[in-house]
Amino acid sequence: MDQQITIPALEEVDLTNCDREPIHLPGHIQPHGVLLVVREPELEIVQVSENTQDLLGIDAESAIGQNLSLLFNRVQVKKLKLCLRNENLKTVNPIKLSVTNKGKYLEFDCILHRVEEFLIVELELATSPENLSVFSFYHSVRATVSKIQSAQNLKELSQITVEEVRKISGFDRVMLYQFDHEGNGAVIAEAKAENISPFLGLNYPSSDIPKQARQLYALNWLRLIPDINYQPVPLISGNNAVTTQPLDLSFSVLRSVSPIHIEYLQNMGVAASMSISLIKDKKLWGLIACHNYTPKHLNYELRAACEFIGQVMSLELQSKEGNEDYDYKLHLKSIQTKIFEDVSTSENLSEVLVKCQHNLLEAVNAQGAAIVFGDNCYPVGQTPQGESLKYLTQWVQKHLNKEIFYTDSLTKCYPEAEEFTDTASGCLAIAISPTQKIYVLWFRPEVIKTVNWAGNPNKTVQIDEDGSHRLSPRKSFALWQENVRYKSLPWKQCEIDAALELKKAMINIVLRQVDKLEKLNTALEASVAREREKTANLKTTMSELKRAQTQLVQNERMSSLGQLVAAVAYEVTNPINFIYGNLSYANEYSQKMINLLQLYEQHYPSPTPEIQAQIEIAELEFIAEDLPKLLGSMKVGANRIREIVQSLRNFSRIDEAEIKPVDIHDGLDSALLILSNRLKPKPVKQSYPVGNRPAIHLIKEYGSLPLVECYAVQINQVFMNVLANAIDALEDAFVNNNLSSHCGGKKEPVKYGQIRIVTELCPGEKAVAVRIKDNGWGMEEKVRQKIFEPFFTTKQVGKGAGIGLAISHEIAVEQHGGKLTCISAPGEGTELIIEIPLSQTHPTPIVK
């Protein structure tokens, strides 16, 4: 007899049976269909489900080793082969095939996919005789999609979605789970039959959905279990078995269900279920869970409609979640502006504290703050007192390894915080200057929260007869309330971003202080050797801080440009997608009307005089000929706008701060798009013999390059800086009439103002090189040696700050381990060569 106990802590026994269960390798399928494993191209059956006799009238073992022609006639096999030419088989699913079993004609939906170099053929009895056409499918879901897109916020979006899914599917209950950062699910929307109890507002622990199940949800948009009390059907193989291991059925619609999950659904009293995945930023954001209390099967067409609704909602999540905090973000920006005004006129942090104590708290919605400046600590608002604050700040200084630290449960990482939860259950901290021990900490008090769980969230431990322990599904789903303590309100991303912005502003104050110290120590340099050594150390510190200032100025520029570009791309995307998506229907509708008019002309060749006169006035023949061309031109234009918007998105990438493989050419083209207006002809204010400055000629010689691991936004910044400098050099050359005749190694006429961009693999094929050369006048050697120094510039006041190439050098060399070199001489033009390694083994983190 098995025993059951419930324990809150699971460290002492191995209870990972849920996470270790190989649910993608069950070796069985659900019985409402047949699964065949086929070897291509001969279409030989090598594995089959045991139920082929029941559904197809063919003995399973005798089918192994046979061709698919055993089941389907020549016409159907030819139809199947034609579909197999598609690399993406999902685009042809389902294929309608028929079988005669015991004199009975049966229609099947055939669903195909490939795995492990084999073709998986799944057959389900069809309930609709023909495939749903694209046009019919569009009309069937158009109203639903319109409702979803019109939702004003996440709550409304979620409720509309569950109601529409229930309307299409007919399930007794449709819920929408949203996962938190720990994987727990909360029911935020529900549509149900009147006679069943609501689950809205209940929470489900992360352990209810094991890790490998979440992975399968992320791979498959939809999963259907028509009858949880089914008898699993095994897969059998002959002597020519595919493999000794069970077949991977991750993408199979008939894949058998985990016994633990079946037990879980039985405990809930559910007879059939369907889940639709919600994906945001390529991660599982939530699930649309459908329950029925009697067995229920949905045909492929209805499943496709439900899946499409899930995909549409996934696309809408980004904008709807962003809109939730829009007003709050604007408020934080206004507070930041006030603080920046105070910072700009302050000489030290003490002044800042006096001027903006209230704003400092409101900037991140905190109730208390502390600024640590060396051995001094300045408290603001509600903070831990005395020694507690001292020890906490010392702990933060030791553990703040990254540019920011934040938690809404300080006791988890600092148990001593239990003594002052009323002021600091949550903590957010930034390091302004670790070397000088300058830190800012914000605090939030404890907020005791009652969580409504669907049953006790602690899983039941089952002791088997052999004495081993394993987790079993919960049996009770009645309301179970838990009071969560030692936690504050969580820090929102916009609040974390605000703290980082304040960090940049604080660095400016430190820089001004360091500048004063540098002058003082320079005056004392000749006094004694010890003082000279101190000054040298201070210079090193100042150099680092000046480099931080360089980054700060350039990052602020690029951040503003990136946000502007991203905002423009975002606002243009929806209307242009709407126009582009409807042009095909407009073309289709117009063609149908033209065909109808031509058919009328054939059958009624002699129209009445009034109609004939109207045809001549309207120039009907010209319209019929010109309208498709007109729509085609509109589609070309819309497509061009989409390409421009994509280029803008590629350049901004403000949400892609991590290292990832990118196409270098996308970044170059995006930077060129931003600078395209500067390449066009324009008047020159100074007197110049040619008059207006002609267009700058661009030559692109892109090589075949692999993807490059890098910080995409930073590399785009390098391209922007180098290209902008090249354009500046050419404009200066136009004014002074001193263009070079050199712009590359190829023997061809040099245009009057020319930039050549060459991309290639470096020798050894471990890095790529981007060569950008202009035919401006070039530069003297003493100038060339200084161009990568911060704040060095040869431009007029107001034309440049001298930080573009300095920050570009740091990005290429220090952050990416690459090279940035300059080749230039008077009369020879200038060439900048950017070399970036293909992979980043130990990248330098970006300092924001």
Side-chain angles (χ1 to χ4, degrees), residues 399-537:
H399 293 83
L400 185 53
N401 300 321
K402 300 180 180 179
E403 61 178 355
I404 191 165
F405 163 83
Y406 58 93
T407 177
D408 60 359
S409 183
L410 187 58
T411 55
K412 287 185 178 180
C413 45
Y414 184 66
E416 293 84 351
E418 189 173 338
E419 298 178 3
F420 45 81
T421 56
D422 58 331
T423 56
S425 281
C427 178
L428 186 153
I430 55 175
I432 306 300
S433 175
T435 56
Q436 298 187 47
K437 297 183 179 180
I438 304 176
Y439 298 85
V440 180
L441 294 77
W442 286 275
F443 307 114
R444 282 180 177 172
E446 176 186 36
V447 176
I448 300 176
K449 179 181 178 183
T450 300
V451 179
N452 293 327
W453 295 99
N456 189 332
N458 299 310
K459 277 206 171 184
T460 301
V461 180
Q462 182 166 303
I463 305 175
D464 294 330
E465 293 181 355
D466 61 359
S468 62
H469 299 75
R470 70 177 181 89
L471 288 176
S472 66
R474 295 179 292 118
K475 289 182 168 55
S476 173
F477 296 89
L479 177 63
W480 195 89
Q481 292 186 325
E482 177 186 19
N483 287 330
V484 179
R485 295 202 58 194
Y486 307 122
K487 294 190 73 173
S488 70
L489 293 175
W491 302 99
K492 295 184 178 182
Q493 186 59 49
C494 56
E495 295 164 344
I496 295 168
D497 293 339
L500 291 172
E501 291 294 325
L502 289 174
K503 174 181 177 178
K504 296 176 185 177
M506 297 291 185
I507 286 176
N508 273 334
I509 300 178
V510 177
L511 286 171
R512 289 196 290 270
Q513 291 177 324
V514 169
D515 189 54
K516 289 183 177 181
L517 289 173
E518 183 203 18
K519 293 177 182 178
L520 176 62
N521 280 277
T522 301
L524 298 173
E525 187 176 16
S527 60
V528 289
R530 186 176 63 184
E531 294 301 318
R532 187 178 295 115
E533 182 180 353
K534 289 181 179 180
T535 303
N537 292 335

Side-chain angles (χ1 to χ4, degrees), residues 144 148 161 165 221-222 276-279 288 303-317:
T144 295
I148 290 175
T161 301
V165 169
W221 282 98
L222 186 141
I276 305 166
S277 301
L278 297 173
I279 309 294
I288 301 173
R303 300 202 304 262
C306 292
E307 178 180 321
F308 181 69
I309 291 173
Q311 292 170 343
V312 171
M313 179 176 176
S314 295
L315 292 173
E316 291 292 316
L317 282 174

Side-chain angles (χ1 to χ4, degrees), residues 345-411:
T345 58
S346 300
E347 295 298 327
N348 55 60
L349 290 178
S350 299
E351 284 189 36
V352 174
L353 283 173
V354 172
K355 287 183 178 180
C356 57
Q357 288 189 20
H358 177 71
N359 288 336
L360 190 66
L361 299 179
E362 199 172 353
V364 295
N365 191 22
Q367 280 67 53
I371 291 188
V372 180
F373 197 171
D375 294 329
N376 299 317
C377 180
Y378 301 88
V380 180
Q382 301 174 15
T383 68
Q385 299 297 310
E387 294 292 302
S388 295
L389 181 59
K390 175 183 175 182
Y391 292 138
L392 173 59
T393 57
Q394 291 174 350
W395 180 86
V396 168
Q397 292 177 43
K398 291 180 181 179
H399 293 83
L400 185 53
N401 300 321
K402 300 180 180 179
E403 61 178 355
I404 191 165
F405 163 83
Y406 58 93
T407 177
D408 60 359
S409 183
L410 187 58
T411 55

Side-chain angles (χ1 to χ4, degrees), residues 420-688:
F420 45 81
T421 56
D422 58 331
T423 56
S425 281
C427 178
L428 186 153
I430 55 175
I432 306 300
S433 175
T435 56
Q436 298 187 47
K437 297 183 179 180
I438 304 176
Y439 298 85
V440 180
L441 294 77
W442 286 275
F443 307 114
R444 282 180 177 172
E446 176 186 36
V447 176
I448 300 176
K449 179 181 178 183
T450 300
V451 179
N452 293 327
W453 295 99
N456 189 332
N458 299 310
K459 277 206 171 184
T460 301
V461 180
Q462 182 166 303
I463 305 175
D464 294 330
E465 293 181 355
D466 61 359
S468 62
H469 299 75
R470 70 177 181 89
L471 288 176
S472 66
R474 295 179 292 118
K475 289 182 168 55
S476 173
F477 296 89
L479 177 63
W480 195 89
Q481 292 186 325
E482 177 186 19
N483 287 330
V484 179
R485 295 202 58 194
Y486 307 122
K487 294 190 73 173
S488 70
L489 293 175
W491 302 99
K492 295 184 178 182
Q493 186 59 49
C494 56
E495 295 164 344
I496 295 168
D497 293 339
L500 291 172
E501 291 294 325
L502 289 174
K503 174 181 177 178
K504 296 176 185 177
M506 297 291 185
I507 286 176
N508 273 334
I509 300 178
V510 177
L511 286 171
R512 289 196 290 270
Q513 291 177 324
V514 169
D515 189 54
K516 289 183 177 181
L517 289 173
E518 183 203 18
K519 293 177 182 178
L520 176 62
N521 280 277
T522 301
L524 298 173
E525 187 176 16
S527 60
V528 289
R530 186 176 63 184
E531 294 301 318
R532 187 178 295 115
E533 182 180 353
K534 289 181 179 180
T535 303
N537 292 335
L538 189 58
K539 282 184 177 181
T540 301
T541 303
M542 185 205 68
S543 177
E544 292 178 358
L545 290 172
K546 278 194 173 182
R547 187 176 67 179
Q549 185 183 36
T550 304
Q551 288 180 326
L552 181 64
V553 174
Q554 182 68 0
N555 286 349
E556 189 64 28
R557 267 188 202 164
M558 295 305 294
S559 174
S560 299
L561 177 59
Q563 290 175 6
L564 174 63
V565 168
V568 171
Y570 175 80
E571 293 297 331
V572 172
T573 296
N574 280 343
I576 197 60
N577 281 346
F578 178 82
I579 294 170
Y580 186 87
N582 282 285
L583 278 174
S584 58
Y585 295 111
N587 188 52
E588 180 183 347
Y589 297 160
S590 63
Q591 193 60 50
K592 286 182 178 180
M593 287 190 289
I594 290 170
N595 292 341
L596 182 61
L597 290 173
Q598 290 174 345
L599 191 62
Y600 266 103
E601 188 175 8
Q602 291 176 14
H603 290 278
Y604 301 99
S606 300
T608 65
E610 290 83 359
I611 294 176
Q612 183 61 41
Q614 191 61 38
I615 289 173
E616 293 175 357
I617 293 171
E619 295 182 331
L620 186 59
E621 184 177 351
F622 171 78
I623 291 174
E625 180 181 351
D626 192 61
L627 183 57
K629 297 178 182 177
L630 179 65
L631 291 170
S633 298
M634 292 168 66
K635 189 169 184 178
V636 170
N639 194 50
R640 175 57 182 154
I641 296 175
R642 293 178 77 193
E643 292 173 355
I644 292 172
V645 169
Q646 186 58 45
S647 293
L648 294 176
R649 285 184 180 277
N650 289 341
F651 177 81
S652 64
R653 297 179 187 260
I654 57 177
D655 57 342
E656 298 179 14
E658 299 299 326
I659 280 186
K660 61 183 293 185
V662 299
D663 187 342
I664 289 297
H665 296 149
D666 286 347
L668 280 167
D669 290 338
S670 298
L672 288 170
L673 177 66
I674 302 298
L675 295 169
S676 60
N677 191 54
R678 295 193 61 191
L679 299 174
K680 297 175 182 179
K682 70 174 186 178
V684 179
K685 293 181 180 178
Q686 293 88 341
S687 59
Y688 183 63

Side-chain angles (χ1 to χ4, degrees), residues 700-711:
K700 295 196 293 187
E701 296 176 5
Y702 288 176
S704 178
L705 301 182
L707 297 180
V708 179
E709 286 185 0
C710 64
Y711 294 103

